[in-house]
Amino acid sequence: MSKILFVMTGADHWTLADGTKHPTGFWAEEAAAPYEAFKAAGHEIVVATPGGVVPTVDQGSLAPEANGGQEGADRIAAVLASLTELQHPITLEDVNLDDYAAVFYPGGHGPMEDLAVDATSGRLLIDALDSGKPLAVVCHAPAALLAATKADGTNAFAGYQVAAFTNAEETQAGLADKAAWLLETRLAEAGVDVRTGEPWAPHVVVDRNLLTGQNPASAAPLATELLKRLA
């Protein structure tokens, strides 16, 4: 069929306000659920990270309580084990957007650390937006939008309606008061129109070719929306 680019964090920690390094990476469900959907539809996946670093999974995202029980945790772990593309990422600098039918950014707190300030990712996001190809970004991965700065200093996504991990969810997760900055707040400051849904419930927002999901539960519905555009 066609190739879908997964742009993933290379970070294994998130620096908190006091300088503490909180262990993290990508959130398992946000890579595994879309991967399953895209592969089932016959698409090829290519993973790209800053520097070609093999992405680290947030261990918390593999826990039974994050996956509806042990059975769900085992299933997510099995999907990740089959995701061999994770072990052979290309570098962001080597990405040729013309090779891909769509771009997908899984979340986790990792993107708050690296993709939020990665100029190469920022340029790729602007190019993907301008190309008209489906661009899907979920949970904390909209942090990457903050690096999509145009020549005039404005954000390329200003004025776009976007779903992203909310301040309410970060508070309920227990990290809001420790964070150096909050995603929903920073996106709003950049001019992005953040549309919030109920905490932890699936919530997908589509604005032109930009498709966004609020949280881990939104990853599978977001993948479904992307596939509709590749049909």
Side-chain angles (χ1 to χ4, degrees), residues 188-209:
E189 290 171 352
V192 178
D193 182 6
V194 182
R195 298 298 178 102
T196 61
E198 288 296 314
W200 312 110
H203 179 56
V204 172
V205 173
V206 177
D207 189 346
R208 289 156 276 187
N209 62 315

Side-chain angles (χ1 to χ4, degrees), residues 77-97:
V79 175
L80 284 186
S82 72
L83 212 167
T84 54
E85 294 90 341
L86 280 177
Q87 303 305 315
H88 307 284
I90 63 173
T91 68
L92 278 178
E93 289 78 9
D94 289 340
V95 168
N96 181 354
L97 189 61

Side-chain angles (χ1 to χ4, degrees), residues 31-217:
Y35 178 83
E36 279 191 302
F38 298 153
K39 293 292 276 192
H43 299 292
E44 181 183 342
I45 306 297
V46 175
V47 173
T49 63
V53 174
V54 174
T56 297
V57 64
D58 187 314
Q59 291 299 311
S61 70
L62 298 175
E65 54 267 31
N67 294 286
Q70 189 61 52
E71 185 177 339
D74 291 344
R75 197 185 73 77
I76 284 288
V79 175
L80 284 186
S82 72
L83 212 167
T84 54
E85 294 90 341
L86 280 177
Q87 303 305 315
H88 307 284
I90 63 173
T91 68
L92 278 178
E93 289 78 9
D94 289 340
V95 168
N96 181 354
L97 189 61
D98 292 340
D99 294 339
Y100 304 97
V103 179
F104 190 91
Y105 274 66
H109 279 109
M112 300 276 282
E113 184 74 20
D114 60 356
L115 297 180
V117 293
D118 191 292
T120 302
S121 171
R123 286 191 298 273
L124 175 63
L125 284 165
I126 294 173
D127 291 344
L129 197 64
D130 291 345
S131 74
K133 296 177 180 183
L135 170 61
V137 192
V138 67
C139 199
H140 284 93
L145 308 186
L146 297 170
T149 305
K150 297 192 291 188
D152 63 4
T154 61
N155 190 281
F157 293 88
Y160 275 80
Q161 294 183 5
V162 167
F165 200 71
T166 64
N167 292 355
E169 287 167 320
E170 202 72 84
T171 299
Q172 292 175 22
L175 286 167
D177 60 345
K178 302 174 184 177
W181 52 276
L182 295 175
L183 179 56
E184 180 187 338
T185 299
R186 188 66 67 84
L187 287 170
E189 290 171 352
V192 178
D193 182 6
V194 182
R195 298 298 178 102
T196 61
E198 288 296 314
W200 312 110
H203 179 56
V204 172
V205 173
V206 177
D207 189 346
R208 289 156 276 187
N209 62 315
L210 177 64
L211 295 68
T212 50
Q214 179 171 312
N215 46 35

